Amino acid sequence: QVQLVESGGGLVQAGGSQRLSCAASGFNFRINAMAWYRQAPGKQRNSVAVITSAGVTQYADSVKGRFTISRDNAKNTVYLQMNALKPEDTAVYYCNVYIGIKGYWGQGTQVTVSS
């Protein structure tokens, strides 16, 4: 079955960097677009970054120039490099894939940015 396992979250100071990883299994990773979402307390879950199977990327305006999404098809892993972190980046970050019309989510990893 489809499994997405995030790692790399934690506490970081404002201005710092952090890299999230998402290990995927149970589907043909290389042919699927992958995405990172985040959800802050009391707010809806929003898309942060997407990478297509061809490596084309798209970012939310709030993270452009600071975050980079990448993928390693040999390792079935997608990454989110986060630089110049701000307190407003504090959220639970989720890895996502859509296979057909069905969406799959990881368990999430907490990122907390202190000011």
Side-chain angles (χ1 to χ4, degrees), residues 3-7 21-25 36 77-78 95 105-109:
Q3 283 195 316
L4 301 170
V5 180
E6 302 98 336
S7 61
S21 300
C22 171
S25 61
W36 286 97
T77 300
V78 61
C95 183
W105 301 88
Q107 82 286 354
T109 185

Side-chain angles (χ1 to χ4, degrees), residues 6 20 35-49 59-64 66-67 80-96 105 108-113:
E6 302 98 336
L20 306 182
W36 286 97
Y37 283 70
R38 68 185 181 187
Q39 187 168 20
K43 297 189 176 181
Q44 67 180 21
R45 191 174 297 187
N46 291 318
S47 176
V48 174
Y59 298 93
D61 287 343
S62 58
V63 306
K64 279 181 183 176
R66 300 188 298 120
F67 289 13
L80 186 67
Q81 177 66 44
M82 305 183 293
N83 299 328
L85 282 161
K86 305 174 181 180
E88 51 263 44
D89 295 318
T90 295
V92 178
Y93 284 72
Y94 296 91
C95 183
N96 164 267
W105 301 88
T109 185
Q110 175 71 47
V111 173
T112 302
V113 184

